[in-house]
């Protein structure tokens, strides 16, 4: 415990935390929202905010969009809107908002990458519209390909959950930024710590109708969306693991 630094990705002010608090030299937290909680227990200047990060070398690859789509059985002509991540473990991840929007936008293909078989099966039973494709769990090396062959990447985190609104710093956020693909995101404080209107498009959390509107707007001016994506890819260079360790 001589030089103990404690890193927190959630709020856990339990017996263990209180026991080691007196030994802590400092804390690392992944959002300002977490810092606001933990500064009640130790000096604010001992707490450093370090958001999650990405290995951008995985994204320094050229992906043939059409060839990749053909390989995975997807249309080369479709406008593909993609969600990558958990589909059952955390309800606040918002995959239901994403899929509810698919019902309103039959002209787009909604691609869901991730999830255990049972969770995917439950979603398939609930959503039967033909414009949804469930790719299931994929190995990490395939994720950049799925991202880069998409037209839009969505982060549909929900409001009403402290974890989602204040504490999360999703790794997929930084992966999305590194992919140079346009991002449409829930408008939440946790995500606003990294994103802004210059690098992403925001929609009202939990609101599939507004998500549908923002997706239509994104495709209506796709050149502007690509400019935002390019800016996001530059911005994410601040969020590499190397920069995180240095900070």
């Amino acid at each position: 415990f001589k030089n103990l630094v404690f890193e927190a990705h959630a709020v856990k002010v339990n017996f263990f935390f209180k026991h080691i608090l007196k030994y802590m030299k400092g804390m690392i937290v992944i959002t300002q929202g977490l810092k606001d909680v933990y500064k009640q227990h130790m000096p604010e200047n001992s707490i450093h905010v370090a958001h999650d990060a990405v290995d951008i070398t995985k994204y320094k690859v050229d992906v043939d969009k059409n060839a990749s789509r053909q390989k995975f059985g997807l249309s080369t002509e479709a406008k593909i809107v993609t969600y990558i991540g958990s589909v059952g473990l955390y309800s606040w991840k918002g995959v239901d908002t994403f899929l509810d929007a698919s019902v309103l936008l039959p002209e787009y293909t909604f691609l869901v990458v991730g999830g255990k078989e049972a969770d995917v099966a439950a979603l398939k039973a609930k959503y039967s519209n033909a414009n949804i494709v469930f790719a299931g769990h994929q190995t990490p090396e395939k994720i950049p390909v799925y991202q880069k062959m998409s037209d839009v990447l969505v982060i549909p985190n929900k409001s009403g959950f402290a974890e989602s609104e204040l504490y999360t710093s999703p790794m997929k956020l930084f992966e999305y930024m590194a992919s140079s693909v346009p991002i449409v995101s829930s408008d939440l404080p946790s995500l606003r710590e990294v994103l802004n209107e210059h690098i992403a498009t925001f929609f009202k959390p939990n609101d599939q109708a507004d998500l549908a509107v923002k997706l239509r707007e994104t495709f209506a001016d796709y050149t502007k969306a690509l400019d935002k994506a390019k800016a996001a890819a530059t911005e994410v260079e601040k969020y590499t693991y190397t920069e995180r360790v240095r900070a």
Side-chain angles (χ1 to χ4, degrees):
F1 287 158
K2 183 178 179 182
N3 290 302
L4 177 65
V5 177
F6 185 81
E7 178 162 340
H9 291 207
V11 176
K12 297 286 185 182
V13 185
N14 52 21
F15 173 80
F16 173 73
F17 174 82
K18 292 176 180 178
H19 173 68
I20 65 173
L21 181 62
K22 57 182 175 288
Y23 301 106
M24 285 187 204
K25 193 171 184 178
M27 279 192 73
I28 299 167
V29 292
I30 57 173
T31 66
Q32 180 62 42
L34 283 170
K35 182 174 182 176
D36 291 340
V37 172
Y38 283 109
K39 71 183 183 183
Q40 301 173 44
H41 301 277
M42 67 185 304
E44 184 174 359
N45 61 6
S46 298
I47 307 173
H48 174 71
V49 177
H51 298 91
D52 265 325
V54 63
D55 179 359
I56 60 175
T57 62
K58 295 179 180 179
Y59 292 86
K60 303 293 186 183
V61 293
D62 291 325
V63 171
D64 186 317
K65 198 170 186 176
N66 288 339
S68 297
R69 288 186 177 192
Q70 289 174 345
K71 179 180 177 180
F72 294 122
L74 297 166
S75 169
T76 58
E77 303 297 325
K79 290 181 171 65
I80 296 182
V81 181
T82 300
Y83 167 88
I84 297 177
S86 170
V87 303
L89 188 59
Y90 302 108
S91 61
W92 52 263
K93 295 283 188 178
V95 69
D96 55 337
T97 304
F98 177 78
L99 292 175
D100 287 341
S102 74
V103 180
L104 305 174
L105 297 171
E107 66 270 33
Y108 303 156
T109 295
F110 281 69
L111 174 62
V112 179
V113 181
K116 297 179 180 179
E117 288 186 14
D119 295 325
V120 172
L123 288 176
K124 285 182 176 180
K126 182 177 180 181
Y127 298 94
S128 58
N129 39 312
N131 63 325
I132 300 176
V133 176
F134 292 97
H137 175 75
Q138 298 294 326
T139 55
E141 63 270 15
K142 291 181 181 177
I143 297 304
V145 179
Y146 273 101
Q147 290 166 346
K148 284 176 172 285
M149 72 179 187
S150 300
D151 295 303
V152 177
L153 300 171
V154 178
I155 305 176
N157 281 23
K158 301 178 80 167
S159 60
F161 302 83
E163 297 95 326
S164 181
E165 291 185 14
L166 301 172
Y167 306 149
T168 187
S169 182
M171 291 177 67
K172 72 179 171 194
L173 163 59
F174 304 100
E175 292 175 349
Y176 281 11
M177 291 170 70
S179 73
S180 299
V181 175
I183 299 169
V184 175
S185 170
S186 295
D187 194 352
L188 294 172
S190 58
L191 301 174
R192 282 275 188 175
E193 289 190 24
V194 176
L195 296 176
N196 57 57
E197 286 85 354
H198 300 294
I199 60 177
T201 298
F202 293 98
F203 73 96
K204 298 174 186 175
N206 308 17
D207 190 334
Q208 63 267 24
D210 194 50
L211 173 55
V213 168
K214 296 306 191 298
L215 287 171
R216 283 201 178 103
E217 290 177 355
T218 298
F219 283 113
D221 193 349
Y222 198 65
T223 299
K224 180 180 178 181
L226 288 173
D227 287 341
K228 288 186 178 185
K230 184 178 179 180
T234 299
E235 180 71 12
V236 83
E237 292 179 7
K238 300 177 184 177
Y239 299 100
T240 65
Y241 288 110
T242 300
E243 289 301 316
R244 192 177 197 271
V245 170
R246 182 178 291 115

